[in-house]
Each structure stands twice: as C-alpha cells, then as structure tokens.
Amino acid sequence: MLSGFGQSSQADDNLVDENTILVQRTLRSGQSVRYSGNVVILGDVNPGAEVAATGNIIVMGALRGVVHAGANGDETAVVMAFRLNPTQLRIANHITRPPDNETVDMDLPEIARIKDGVVTIEAFQTGGERQGKAI
C-alpha cells in the first residue's frame, strides 16, 4: 500500500515506476511513438500508426496499428488494449499478426504476453483463472 501522495515505504518501491509516458490522443496513420519505458495511450492506435516501447504498452482504446513492446528484448513486457486488433504485434523478438479473415469481438480488454515461447492473447481479468489462445 502506498503511504501517501508521492511517498512510498521501502517495501512498496517495486510498485512505483517513473519511466512511463502518457499519450493523451489518438495516433493516426503515419504517426509513431517510441519510448524507452512504458507507454500508456488514452485513445486509439489507428492502422498505419506505430508504438514501440522497451516496457509495456497499454492502449485505452482500439489498437489497430503496429505495436512493439519489450523492444530491447524484454520477454516479460505485455501489450494491453480495450480492443486488441493490431496489424502486427511484437513482444521482444516475437512477431505475430492476426489470422486472415478472423474477427473476434471481445467485450473485455485483452492482454498479449509471451507464454512458453509463444505470443498469447487472453481476456484481461483482475483475478482468477485466465483462458488464453496462442497465435
């Protein structure tokens, strides 16, 4: 538990990360964000836009562009979005794209991560068991 605004106890230091950028707009085709750390986007990432980060990428909207989390080789990085439908998704050195002619309409946010050497996408849940699919 954090002990106050801007203060933390020594045990909570792993909860604080000051290496995160907040982008408060939708990224359109041709626009890109590259950051050494985590990226949070309050908006959509449209087709033709690109986001690359050495850490995690969280999109509070639809992700339909190119995304690369863990760009420095971090296989623990994740990509999360309210609508996860990228043209290409990369985590560390793993590259994938959605299957042709497959549409998935999720009611929950989704999270992509590396599990057993494979990019796995699953519904984001705050607790309990998680069901995933490998792509």
Side-chain angles (χ1 to χ4, degrees):
M1 177 183 300
L2 295 178
S3 58
F5 293 107
Q7 301 172 348
S8 65
S9 69
Q10 193 172 20
D12 295 324
D13 286 342
N14 63 342
L15 298 176
V16 178
D17 184 356
E18 296 179 5
N19 198 23
T20 300
I21 187 171
L22 177 65
V23 179
Q24 299 184 60
R25 62 183 168 85
T26 291
L27 296 180
R28 309 228 178 265
S29 180
Q31 295 180 319
S32 66
V33 171
R34 298 183 192 287
Y35 188 68
S36 180
N38 304 305
V39 176
V40 177
I41 298 176
L42 300 181
D44 297 336
V45 177
N46 286 333
E50 184 175 341
V51 180
T54 58
N56 303 311
I57 298 173
I58 299 173
V59 179
M60 306 297 282
L63 172 52
R64 297 184 304 263
V66 174
V67 64
H68 187 182
N72 64 344
D74 183 3
E75 290 194 353
T76 65
V78 300
V79 175
M80 189 177 112
F82 283 157
R83 297 252 179 219
L84 188 60
N85 191 20
T87 53
Q88 184 183 83
L89 187 143
R90 291 184 240 168
I91 299 176
N93 62 345
H94 301 267
I95 302 172
T96 188
R97 65 179 191 86
D100 293 331
N101 301 323
E102 181 180 313
T103 58
V104 176
D105 191 22
M106 288 294 292
D107 292 332
L108 297 171
E110 291 181 293
I111 187 166
R113 66 179 84 207
I114 303 296
K115 280 190 174 179
D116 300 322
V118 177
V119 176
T120 303
I121 297 175
E122 55 196 16
F124 178 75
Q125 299 171 353
T126 56
E129 290 296 316
R130 294 183 175 170
Q131 300 294 322
K133 61 180 177 182
I135 59 171

